Amino acid sequence: MKPANDLEARFFAATPRSLERFSAHADATPGGVAKGAYFYRPYPLTMERGDGAYLFDVDGNRYADFANHHTGQILGHNHPAVMAAVQAQLQRGVAVGAPMGHETEVCAELCSRVASLERARFTNSGTEASLHAVRLARAFTGRNLIAKFEGCYHGSHDAVEVSVAPPLEAAGPAERPLPYAQAIGMSAGAVADTMVLPLGDLEATDRLIGEHAAELACVLLDPKTGITTRHGVLMVFDEIVGFRLARGGAQEYYGITPDLTTFGKIVGGGFPVGAFGGRADIMDRYHPTAGPGVGQSGTFASHPVTMAAGLAMLRELTPAAFEHLASLGDRLTRGLRKALTACPPPRDYRSSLDADKRWVSPLFLALLDRGFFLGHTLGMCSISVPTTPQMIDELVEAVADALRDPAVKTAATDG
Ligand SMILES: Cc1ncc(COP(=O)(O)O)c(C=O)c1O
C-alpha cells in the first residue's frame, strides 16, 4: 500500500503501527475491517486507549476526540463513575439469564427524564429499537404503511434504510419523494411499505400524511427534521443521537410530544444498547400477561453490564453537564461559521447534495494530522463532557488551518 498524495504521505509517516495492525489480518474480513464504519482511506487508525476527551493510537499519537464512538460516549472515555459501576457489576456476574435489578432502574430513570415516556424496554442497538417501534406501531394501529423523512437515518433494517441518501436522479419529485432502497439486498416489499416525506416542506408533508392517514401506522423522525396527531398517526421520535441534547431529550428541547421514542448510544454507558418506549397504552401490548401480543426479544437485551454502565452514565448527566455541552456546542458553531464563510448551511437533504464531498476525506486526514479525531464522514461528530472551551477553539483553528493547507487542496481537487 502506497500514499496517493502528500497528505496521505504524512499519515503513513505518523502511523506505521496502525498500518501494520490493519494489514496483519486484512484477509480475515472484507476490506480488513470488522465493521463498515471503522473504514476510511488510506487505512484506519488502531487506537491503543481512550482517556477522558482524548484517544491515543498504537503509534503514541494523541487526538482530541470529537467523534466519541459515533456520539455514544458523552462522558468521554473511562469515566470513573461508569468504570466503578461496571467493575461492581462484573463482581456479581456478566449475564445470568435473569434480571439483576438495574434494568428497571434504567427504565425508571428514562421515564423520569423524558416527559412522553411512561414505559420503556431494551434492545441491543438503536436499529433494533427502531425495528420494534415500527412493529409495535403497526400492531397498535392495525395499519401497514410507515413514513420517514428523506435524508434521515433510523438504523440498518429494511423498513427504514429507505431514502437515507438517495441520488437526486432516483429521488423523485421534491414534494413527493420516491422510496429508494439504500442497500442492495433489501426486500422490495419493505421498501414499498415506506413512504418518504420531504424534509423541510411542511405543506407537502401534511398533504402526504393526510392522503395516506387511513393506512399509515407511524411517522419516524429525528430532531434534525408534528402533524401526526391531527391525522391519527403515531409519531416515533428517534432520540438515538438526539437524547444528548437535553436532560429530557431533543423532545424537551424542541417541545415535541411523540407517542413512541427510540434510544441508543449514550443510554448504555458505552456498551451496546437500544431502548424504546412511550405511551403506556401502546407499550402495554408487551405486558407479559396480556396474551398473544407483539414479539420483542433478544438474548443480550437489558444486559446487566450495559444496564449498570447506562445507569451510572445517566446519573452523571446533570443539568449542569447539559449546560456545559450546550455552551461548547454554541462556541463551536460560532467558530466554524466564521471559519467556513464560503459554505452556505444546507436547508434540507437535497440542498446538502450541493456540498463538494471531495474535501471530506482530505479534511478528515488533515485534522488527524493536527491531533483531532472526528467521524470520518465529518457527519457523526459530537462533544463530550470533559471537553474544554480551549479544545473547541483549537479545533476551530485547526479546521481553518487545514483549509489553508495546500496538501488538502491538492488531495481534494486532483482526483
Ligand atoms: C439517528 C439514528 N438512528 C438510529 C441509529 C441506529 O443505531 P445503532 O447504530 O445503534 O443500530 C443511528 C446510528 O447511528 C442514528 O444515528
Side-chain angles (χ1 to χ4, degrees):
M1 195 185 290
K2 292 241 170 349
N5 51 46
D6 285 355
L7 199 58
E8 286 194 8
R10 274 189 231 160
F11 182 78
F12 274 72
T15 62
R17 288 208 174 96
S18 276
L19 175 57
E20 226 172 82
R21 294 284 178 89
F22 174 66
S23 310
H25 305 292
D27 289 344
T29 73
V33 280
K35 82 171 188 183
Y38 279 169
F39 183 76
Y40 45 84
R41 283 180 203 288
Y43 54 86
L45 295 176
T46 297
M47 292 300 173
E48 180 65 34
R49 66 190 174 90
D51 185 19
Y54 292 96
L55 293 172
F56 299 83
D57 72 13
V58 288
D59 288 285
N61 300 304
R62 187 185 81 158
Y63 305 91
D65 187 7
F66 283 94
N68 290 295
H69 196 82
H70 321 297
T71 77
Q73 290 283 37
I74 194 166
L75 295 180
H77 303 282
N78 304 341
H79 189 281
V82 177
M83 300 308 278
V86 168
Q87 273 149 14
Q89 178 57 43
L90 290 176
Q91 302 302 314
R92 301 170 61 209
V94 173
V96 301
M100 295 188 84
H102 286 329
E103 49 293 300
T104 46
E105 262 184 288
V106 188
C107 289
E109 181 72 30
L110 286 173
C111 291
S112 79
R113 285 170 176 250
V114 181
S116 70
L117 214 68
E118 294 177 310
R119 309 258 197 280
R121 304 248 301 190
F122 284 102
T123 62
N124 294 297
S125 67
T127 292
E128 267 184 74
S130 132
L131 184 156
H132 286 293
V134 165
R135 184 191 285 181
L136 179 61
R138 284 182 167 142
F140 186 78
T141 59
R143 306 176 199 150
N144 188 50
L145 190 68
I146 65 160
K148 70 172 289 285
F149 286 86
E150 188 172 60
C152 292
Y153 180 66
H154 300 291
S156 58
H157 61 102
D158 283 10
V160 297
E161 209 160 9
V162 174
S163 297
V164 175
L168 211 46
E169 58 278 13
E175 66 294 343
R176 196 175 282 272
L178 294 174
Y180 173 79
Q182 207 61 57
I184 298 167
M186 286 170 59
S187 148
V191 177
D193 286 341
T194 300
M195 176 167 73
V196 181
L197 301 170
L199 187 60
D201 185 341
L202 204 60
E203 222 173 273
T205 296
D206 195 4
R207 191 167 52 247
L208 285 170
I209 293 178
E211 278 174 20
H212 294 274
E215 47 178 338
L216 189 59
C218 65
V219 175
L220 288 111
L221 77 162
D222 81 12
K224 297 187 286 300
T225 60
I227 299 175
T228 50
T229 311
R230 184 150 44 84
H231 292 298
V233 173
L234 299 184
M235 184 204 284
V236 180
F237 200 57
D238 184 332
E239 293 257 20
I240 289 165
V241 174
F243 194 46
R244 54 166 35 250
L245 208 53
R247 192 175 182 280
Q251 54 196 268
E252 175 189 278
Y253 187 85
Y254 291 112
I256 292 171
T257 307
D259 301 289
L260 293 171
T261 302
T262 53
F263 301 91
K265 312 251 185 198
I266 66 169
V267 167
F271 288 83
V273 79
F276 65 107
R279 279 169 38 192
D281 59 327
I282 306 176
M283 289 301 291
D284 282 346
R285 292 293 170 105
Y286 293 116
H287 200 293
T289 60
V294 200
Q296 184 247 327
S297 63
T299 299
F300 289 117
S302 306
H303 192 285
V305 181
T306 305
M307 296 296 103
L311 190 59
M313 190 178 273
L314 287 173
R315 288 188 173 157
E316 291 297 316
L317 291 172
T318 58
F322 285 108
E323 264 169 45
H324 172 62
L325 289 170
S327 108
L328 294 180
D330 285 346
R331 195 179 183 103
L332 182 59
T333 309
R334 271 186 277 117
L336 288 179
R337 282 222 172 104
K338 264 196 212 152
L340 302 170
T341 42
C343 312
R347 296 174 314 281
D348 50 26
Y349 169 68
R350 294 193 184 201
S351 65
S352 76
L353 294 177
D354 295 339
D356 187 348
K357 298 234 167 40
R358 294 174 308 166
W359 288 78
V360 170
S361 169
L363 194 52
F364 168 70
L365 286 185
L367 289 171
L368 285 181
D369 188 34
R370 287 159 175 77
F372 297 89
F373 186 78
L374 276 70
H376 65 87
T377 62
L378 303 182
M380 218 21 148
C381 299
S382 67
I383 302 170
S384 66
V385 172
T387 305
T388 62
Q390 191 189 336
M391 291 169 72
I392 297 284
D393 296 347
E394 286 165 359
L395 172 61
V396 170
E397 180 44 40
V399 171
D401 188 50
L403 290 173
R404 291 190 293 263
D405 185 339
V408 172
K409 186 163 185 207
T410 306
T413 53
D414 277 10

Short mmCIF file of all heavy atoms in Angstrom, two decimals, residues 190-243:
data_model
loop_
_atom_site.label_atom_id
_atom_site.label_comp_id
_atom_site.label_asym_id
_atom_site.label_seq_id
_atom_site.Cartn_x
_atom_site.Cartn_y
_atom_site.Cartn_z
N ALA A 190 -40.60 -4.34 1.60
CA ALA A 190 -40.34 -3.43 2.73
C ALA A 190 -40.18 -2.00 2.22
O ALA A 190 -40.68 -1.05 2.84
CB ALA A 190 -39.08 -3.87 3.49
N VAL A 191 -39.49 -1.85 1.11
CA VAL A 191 -39.27 -0.51 0.57
C VAL A 191 -40.61 0.11 0.15
O VAL A 191 -40.89 1.28 0.42
CB VAL A 191 -38.27 -0.56 -0.62
CG1 VAL A 191 -38.10 0.82 -1.25
CG2 VAL A 191 -36.93 -1.12 -0.15
N ALA A 192 -41.46 -0.71 -0.50
CA ALA A 192 -42.76 -0.20 -0.96
C ALA A 192 -43.66 0.18 0.21
O ALA A 192 -44.57 0.99 0.06
CB ALA A 192 -43.43 -1.25 -1.84
N ASP A 193 -43.44 -0.41 1.37
CA ASP A 193 -44.27 -0.12 2.55
C ASP A 193 -43.79 1.13 3.30
O ASP A 193 -44.29 1.42 4.39
CB ASP A 193 -44.24 -1.31 3.52
CG ASP A 193 -45.08 -2.46 2.99
OD1 ASP A 193 -45.93 -2.21 2.11
OD2 ASP A 193 -44.88 -3.60 3.45
N THR A 194 -42.78 1.80 2.77
CA THR A 194 -42.27 3.01 3.42
C THR A 194 -42.50 4.21 2.53
O THR A 194 -42.04 4.25 1.39
CB THR A 194 -40.76 2.86 3.74
OG1 THR A 194 -40.61 1.74 4.61
CG2 THR A 194 -40.20 4.09 4.42
N MET A 195 -43.22 5.19 3.06
CA MET A 195 -43.47 6.43 2.31
C MET A 195 -42.40 7.44 2.72
O MET A 195 -42.06 7.55 3.90
CB MET A 195 -44.86 6.97 2.66
CG MET A 195 -45.17 8.29 2.00
SD MET A 195 -46.93 8.71 2.11
CE MET A 195 -47.10 9.14 3.84
N VAL A 196 -41.87 8.16 1.73
CA VAL A 196 -40.81 9.13 2.03
C VAL A 196 -41.39 10.54 2.02
O VAL A 196 -42.11 10.92 1.09
CB VAL A 196 -39.66 8.99 1.01
CG1 VAL A 196 -38.55 9.98 1.32
CG2 VAL A 196 -39.13 7.56 1.03
N LEU A 197 -41.08 11.29 3.08
CA LEU A 197 -41.61 12.65 3.22
C LEU A 197 -40.51 13.66 2.94
O LEU A 197 -39.33 13.41 3.24
CB LEU A 197 -42.14 12.84 4.66
CG LEU A 197 -43.24 11.86 5.07
CD1 LEU A 197 -43.51 11.97 6.58
CD2 LEU A 197 -44.52 12.14 4.29
N PRO A 198 -40.88 14.81 2.37
CA PRO A 198 -39.86 15.81 2.03
C PRO A 198 -39.44 16.61 3.26
O PRO A 198 -40.25 17.32 3.85
CB PRO A 198 -40.58 16.71 1.02
CG PRO A 198 -42.03 16.53 1.28
CD PRO A 198 -42.24 15.22 1.96
N LEU A 199 -38.18 16.49 3.62
CA LEU A 199 -37.65 17.19 4.79
C LEU A 199 -37.71 18.69 4.56
O LEU A 199 -37.27 19.19 3.53
CB LEU A 199 -36.20 16.73 4.98
CG LEU A 199 -35.46 17.19 6.22
CD1 LEU A 199 -36.16 16.70 7.47
CD2 LEU A 199 -34.03 16.68 6.20
N GLY A 200 -38.29 19.41 5.50
CA GLY A 200 -38.31 20.88 5.41
C GLY A 200 -39.50 21.43 4.64
O GLY A 200 -39.64 22.64 4.54
N ASP A 201 -40.37 20.59 4.09
CA ASP A 201 -41.54 21.08 3.36
C ASP A 201 -42.81 20.65 4.12
O ASP A 201 -43.35 19.56 3.92
CB ASP A 201 -41.54 20.50 1.93
CG ASP A 201 -42.67 21.08 1.07
OD1 ASP A 201 -43.64 21.62 1.64
OD2 ASP A 201 -42.58 20.97 -0.16
N LEU A 202 -43.24 21.54 5.01
CA LEU A 202 -44.35 21.24 5.92
C LEU A 202 -45.66 20.98 5.16
O LEU A 202 -46.41 20.05 5.48
CB LEU A 202 -44.52 22.42 6.88
CG LEU A 202 -45.17 22.14 8.21
CD1 LEU A 202 -44.37 21.12 8.99
CD2 LEU A 202 -45.29 23.43 9.01
N GLU A 203 -45.90 21.81 4.16
CA GLU A 203 -47.15 21.70 3.40
C GLU A 203 -47.26 20.35 2.70
O GLU A 203 -48.28 19.65 2.79
CB GLU A 203 -47.18 22.81 2.36
CG GLU A 203 -48.51 23.49 2.20
CD GLU A 203 -48.34 24.68 1.27
OE1 GLU A 203 -47.98 25.78 1.75
OE2 GLU A 203 -48.52 24.46 0.06
N ALA A 204 -46.19 19.97 1.99
CA ALA A 204 -46.20 18.70 1.26
C ALA A 204 -46.26 17.52 2.24
O ALA A 204 -46.93 16.52 1.98
CB ALA A 204 -44.95 18.59 0.38
N THR A 205 -45.58 17.65 3.39
CA THR A 205 -45.61 16.59 4.40
C THR A 205 -47.03 16.39 4.91
O THR A 205 -47.54 15.26 5.00
CB THR A 205 -44.66 16.94 5.57
OG1 THR A 205 -43.33 16.99 5.05
CG2 THR A 205 -44.73 15.93 6.69
N ASP A 206 -47.69 17.51 5.24
CA ASP A 206 -49.07 17.46 5.72
C ASP A 206 -49.97 16.79 4.67
O ASP A 206 -50.79 15.92 4.99
CB ASP A 206 -49.53 18.90 6.00
CG ASP A 206 -50.80 18.94 6.85
OD1 ASP A 206 -51.26 17.86 7.28
OD2 ASP A 206 -51.34 20.03 7.07
N ARG A 207 -49.78 17.18 3.42
CA ARG A 207 -50.62 16.63 2.34
C ARG A 207 -50.42 15.12 2.21
O ARG A 207 -51.37 14.35 2.16
CB ARG A 207 -50.27 17.33 1.02
CG ARG A 207 -51.25 17.05 -0.10
CD ARG A 207 -51.06 17.98 -1.28
NE ARG A 207 -49.69 18.05 -1.77
CZ ARG A 207 -48.90 19.11 -1.70
NH1 ARG A 207 -49.34 20.22 -1.18
NH2 ARG A 207 -47.67 19.09 -2.18
N LEU A 208 -49.15 14.68 2.21
CA LEU A 208 -48.87 13.25 2.03
C LEU A 208 -49.40 12.43 3.20
O LEU A 208 -49.99 11.35 3.01
CB LEU A 208 -47.36 13.03 1.88
CG LEU A 208 -46.77 13.44 0.52
CD1 LEU A 208 -45.24 13.41 0.55
CD2 LEU A 208 -47.28 12.49 -0.57
N ILE A 209 -49.21 12.94 4.42
CA ILE A 209 -49.71 12.20 5.59
C ILE A 209 -51.24 12.15 5.54
O ILE A 209 -51.85 11.10 5.79
CB ILE A 209 -49.20 12.83 6.91
CG1 ILE A 209 -47.69 12.66 7.02
CG2 ILE A 209 -49.89 12.20 8.12
CD1 ILE A 209 -47.06 13.29 8.25
N GLY A 210 -51.86 13.27 5.19
CA GLY A 210 -53.32 13.32 5.08
C GLY A 210 -53.84 12.32 4.05
O GLY A 210 -54.80 11.59 4.31
N GLU A 211 -53.21 12.28 2.89
CA GLU A 211 -53.64 11.37 1.82
C GLU A 211 -53.58 9.91 2.25
O GLU A 211 -54.38 9.09 1.82
CB GLU A 211 -52.71 11.52 0.60
CG GLU A 211 -53.04 12.70 -0.30
CD GLU A 211 -51.99 12.86 -1.39
OE1 GLU A 211 -51.25 11.89 -1.69
OE2 GLU A 211 -51.90 13.98 -1.95
N HIS A 212 -52.61 9.57 3.10
CA HIS A 212 -52.37 8.16 3.44
C HIS A 212 -52.75 7.81 4.88
O HIS A 212 -52.43 6.71 5.34
CB HIS A 212 -50.90 7.81 3.19
CG HIS A 212 -50.51 7.88 1.75
ND1 HIS A 212 -50.69 6.83 0.89
CD2 HIS A 212 -50.00 8.89 1.02
CE1 HIS A 212 -50.28 7.19 -0.32
NE2 HIS A 212 -49.86 8.44 -0.26
N ALA A 213 -53.41 8.74 5.59
CA ALA A 213 -53.64 8.56 7.03
C ALA A 213 -54.32 7.22 7.36
O ALA A 213 -53.98 6.57 8.35
CB ALA A 213 -54.46 9.72 7.57
N ALA A 214 -55.25 6.78 6.51
CA ALA A 214 -56.02 5.56 6.84
C ALA A 214 -55.16 4.31 6.81
O ALA A 214 -55.50 3.30 7.42
CB ALA A 214 -57.17 5.42 5.85
N GLU A 215 -54.03 4.35 6.10
CA GLU A 215 -53.18 3.15 6.00
C GLU A 215 -51.84 3.35 6.70
O GLU A 215 -50.98 2.46 6.72
CB GLU A 215 -52.94 2.80 4.52
CG GLU A 215 -52.56 4.01 3.74
CD GLU A 215 -52.26 3.81 2.27
OE1 GLU A 215 -51.93 2.70 1.86
OE2 GLU A 215 -52.33 4.82 1.55
N LEU A 216 -51.64 4.54 7.31
CA LEU A 216 -50.32 4.90 7.85
C LEU A 216 -50.24 4.60 9.35
O LEU A 216 -51.01 5.15 10.14
CB LEU A 216 -50.07 6.40 7.58
CG LEU A 216 -48.68 6.95 7.88
CD1 LEU A 216 -47.61 6.22 7.07
CD2 LEU A 216 -48.64 8.44 7.57
N ALA A 217 -49.29 3.73 9.73
CA ALA A 217 -49.13 3.37 11.14
C ALA A 217 -48.38 4.45 11.91
O ALA A 217 -48.76 4.82 13.02
CB ALA A 217 -48.39 2.04 11.25
N CYS A 218 -47.26 4.92 11.35
CA CYS A 218 -46.43 5.86 12.11
C CYS A 218 -45.55 6.68 11.18
O CYS A 218 -45.31 6.31 10.03
CB CYS A 218 -45.55 5.12 13.12
SG CYS A 218 -44.32 4.04 12.36
N VAL A 219 -45.08 7.79 11.73
CA VAL A 219 -44.06 8.61 11.06
C VAL A 219 -42.84 8.62 11.95
O VAL A 219 -42.93 8.94 13.13
CB VAL A 219 -44.57 10.06 10.86
CG1 VAL A 219 -43.46 10.92 10.27
CG2 VAL A 219 -45.80 10.08 9.97
N LEU A 220 -41.70 8.25 11.38
CA LEU A 220 -40.44 8.32 12.13
C LEU A 220 -39.76 9.64 11.83
O LEU A 220 -39.72 10.07 10.68
CB LEU A 220 -39.49 7.20 11.70
CG LEU A 220 -39.87 5.81 12.13
CD1 LEU A 220 -40.28 4.99 10.93
CD2 LEU A 220 -38.71 5.15 12.83
N LEU A 221 -39.25 10.26 12.85
CA LEU A 221 -38.44 11.44 12.58
C LEU A 221 -37.37 11.59 13.64
O LEU A 221 -37.52 11.10 14.76
CB LEU A 221 -39.27 12.71 12.45
CG LEU A 221 -39.82 13.39 13.67
CD1 LEU A 221 -40.21 14.81 13.34
CD2 LEU A 221 -41.06 12.65 14.15
N ASP A 222 -36.29 12.23 13.24
CA ASP A 222 -35.28 12.56 14.24
C ASP A 222 -35.19 14.07 14.30
O ASP A 222 -35.72 14.77 13.46
CB ASP A 222 -33.96 11.81 13.98
CG ASP A 222 -33.09 12.45 12.92
OD1 ASP A 222 -33.39 13.60 12.54
OD2 ASP A 222 -32.14 11.82 12.49
N PRO A 223 -34.56 14.59 15.35
CA PRO A 223 -34.67 16.02 15.61
C PRO A 223 -34.08 16.87 14.51
O PRO A 223 -34.34 18.05 14.44
CB PRO A 223 -33.89 16.20 16.90
CG PRO A 223 -33.64 14.86 17.43
CD PRO A 223 -33.76 13.90 16.33
N LYS A 224 -33.25 16.26 13.65
CA LYS A 224 -32.70 17.06 12.55
C LYS A 224 -33.86 17.41 11.61
O LYS A 224 -33.76 18.27 10.81
CB LYS A 224 -31.59 16.30 11.84
CG LYS A 224 -30.40 16.00 12.74
CD LYS A 224 -29.23 15.42 12.04
CE LYS A 224 -29.30 13.97 11.63
NZ LYS A 224 -29.50 12.91 12.55
N THR A 225 -35.11 16.94 11.82
CA THR A 225 -36.25 17.17 10.94
C THR A 225 -37.34 18.00 11.63
O THR A 225 -37.32 18.05 12.81
CB THR A 225 -36.81 15.80 10.48
OG1 THR A 225 -37.22 15.01 11.50
CG2 THR A 225 -35.97 15.32 9.44
N GLY A 226 -44.67 18.28 13.67
CA GLY A 226 -45.63 17.44 14.21
C GLY A 226 -47.05 17.46 13.66
O GLY A 226 -47.77 17.89 14.26
N ILE A 227 -47.59 17.14 12.93
CA ILE A 227 -48.71 16.94 12.03
C ILE A 227 -49.38 15.59 12.33
O ILE A 227 -50.53 15.38 12.00
CB ILE A 227 -48.20 16.93 10.55
CG1 ILE A 227 -47.55 18.27 10.23
CG2 ILE A 227 -49.35 16.66 9.59
CD1 ILE A 227 -46.90 18.32 8.84
N THR A 228 -48.70 14.65 12.99
CA THR A 228 -49.22 13.29 13.07
C THR A 228 -50.50 13.17 13.89
O THR A 228 -51.39 12.40 13.54
CB THR A 228 -48.15 12.35 13.64
OG1 THR A 228 -47.64 12.94 14.82
CG2 THR A 228 -47.05 12.11 12.64
N THR A 229 -50.57 13.91 15.02
CA THR A 229 -51.71 13.76 15.92
C THR A 229 -53.01 14.08 15.18
O THR A 229 -54.00 13.34 15.28
CB THR A 229 -51.57 14.73 17.12
OG1 THR A 229 -50.26 14.57 17.63
CG2 THR A 229 -52.58 14.43 18.21
N ARG A 230 -53.00 15.18 14.42
CA ARG A 230 -54.19 15.60 13.69
C ARG A 230 -54.68 14.50 12.76
O ARG A 230 -55.87 14.33 12.53
CB ARG A 230 -53.86 16.87 12.90
CG ARG A 230 -55.00 17.49 12.15
CD ARG A 230 -54.83 19.02 12.03
NE ARG A 230 -53.48 19.41 11.66
CZ ARG A 230 -53.03 19.45 10.41
NH1 ARG A 230 -53.81 19.08 9.42
NH2 ARG A 230 -51.81 19.88 10.16
N HIS A 231 -53.77 13.71 12.20
CA HIS A 231 -54.16 12.67 11.25
C HIS A 231 -54.33 11.30 11.92
O HIS A 231 -54.52 10.30 11.24
CB HIS A 231 -53.13 12.57 10.13
CG HIS A 231 -53.12 13.78 9.24
ND1 HIS A 231 -54.19 14.16 8.48
CD2 HIS A 231 -52.14 14.70 8.99
CE1 HIS A 231 -53.88 15.27 7.80
NE2 HIS A 231 -52.65 15.61 8.10
N GLY A 232 -54.20 11.23 13.24
CA GLY A 232 -54.37 9.96 13.95
C GLY A 232 -53.29 8.95 13.62
O GLY A 232 -53.52 7.74 13.61
N VAL A 233 -52.08 9.44 13.38
CA VAL A 233 -50.94 8.56 13.05
C VAL A 233 -49.94 8.66 14.20
O VAL A 233 -49.77 9.74 14.77
CB VAL A 233 -50.30 9.04 11.73
CG1 VAL A 233 -49.02 8.29 11.43
CG2 VAL A 233 -51.29 8.92 10.57
N LEU A 234 -49.30 7.54 14.56
CA LEU A 234 -48.34 7.60 15.67
C LEU A 234 -47.05 8.29 15.24
O LEU A 234 -46.58 8.11 14.12
CB LEU A 234 -48.01 6.19 16.16
CG LEU A 234 -49.18 5.35 16.72
CD1 LEU A 234 -48.67 4.01 17.24
CD2 LEU A 234 -49.91 6.11 17.83
N MET A 235 -46.49 9.05 16.17
CA MET A 235 -45.17 9.63 15.90
C MET A 235 -44.11 8.86 16.67
O MET A 235 -44.22 8.68 17.89
CB MET A 235 -45.12 11.09 16.32
CG MET A 235 -43.77 11.73 15.94
SD MET A 235 -43.37 13.15 16.94
CE MET A 235 -44.44 14.35 16.23
N VAL A 236 -43.12 8.37 15.95
CA VAL A 236 -41.98 7.69 16.59
C VAL A 236 -40.79 8.63 16.48
O VAL A 236 -40.32 8.93 15.39
CB VAL A 236 -41.66 6.36 15.88
CG1 VAL A 236 -40.48 5.68 16.57
CG2 VAL A 236 -42.87 5.44 15.87
N PHE A 237 -40.34 9.11 17.62
CA PHE A 237 -39.26 10.11 17.63
C PHE A 237 -37.93 9.41 17.89
O PHE A 237 -37.78 8.68 18.86
CB PHE A 237 -39.57 11.11 18.75
CG PHE A 237 -38.86 12.42 18.62
CD1 PHE A 237 -39.01 13.20 17.48
CD2 PHE A 237 -38.05 12.89 19.63
CE1 PHE A 237 -38.36 14.42 17.37
CE2 PHE A 237 -37.40 14.10 19.52
CZ PHE A 237 -37.55 14.88 18.39
N ASP A 238 -36.99 9.63 17.00
CA ASP A 238 -35.68 8.98 17.10
C ASP A 238 -34.75 9.84 17.95
O ASP A 238 -34.28 10.89 17.52
CB ASP A 238 -35.13 8.80 15.68
CG ASP A 238 -33.80 8.04 15.65
OD1 ASP A 238 -33.06 8.11 16.65
OD2 ASP A 238 -33.51 7.41 14.62
N GLU A 239 -34.50 9.37 19.18
CA GLU A 239 -33.61 10.10 20.10
C GLU A 239 -32.29 9.34 20.25
O GLU A 239 -31.59 9.48 21.25
CB GLU A 239 -34.26 10.24 21.49
CG GLU A 239 -35.47 11.13 21.52
CD GLU A 239 -35.19 12.51 22.12
OE1 GLU A 239 -34.01 12.92 22.16
OE2 GLU A 239 -36.17 13.16 22.53
N ILE A 240 -31.96 8.52 19.25
CA ILE A 240 -30.77 7.67 19.37
C ILE A 240 -29.51 8.54 19.45
O ILE A 240 -28.61 8.25 20.23
CB ILE A 240 -30.75 6.64 18.22
CG1 ILE A 240 -31.87 5.62 18.50
CG2 ILE A 240 -29.39 5.94 18.10
CD1 ILE A 240 -32.25 4.73 17.34
N VAL A 241 -29.51 9.63 18.71
CA VAL A 241 -28.45 10.63 18.87
C VAL A 241 -28.98 11.82 19.67
O VAL A 241 -28.31 12.36 20.55
CB VAL A 241 -27.93 11.10 17.49
CG1 VAL A 241 -26.95 12.26 17.65
CG2 VAL A 241 -27.25 9.96 16.75
N GLY A 242 -30.23 12.22 19.40
CA GLY A 242 -30.78 13.47 19.94
C GLY A 242 -30.88 13.51 21.46
O GLY A 242 -30.93 14.60 22.04
N PHE A 243 -30.85 12.36 22.11
CA PHE A 243 -31.01 12.33 23.57
C PHE A 243 -29.85 13.03 24.28
O PHE A 243 -29.93 13.32 25.47
CB PHE A 243 -31.14 10.88 24.03
CG PHE A 243 -31.63 10.74 25.45
CD1 PHE A 243 -32.71 11.46 25.91
CD2 PHE A 243 -30.99 9.88 26.33
CE1 PHE A 243 -33.16 11.33 27.22
CE2 PHE A 243 -31.43 9.75 27.64
CZ PHE A 243 -32.52 10.48 28.09
#
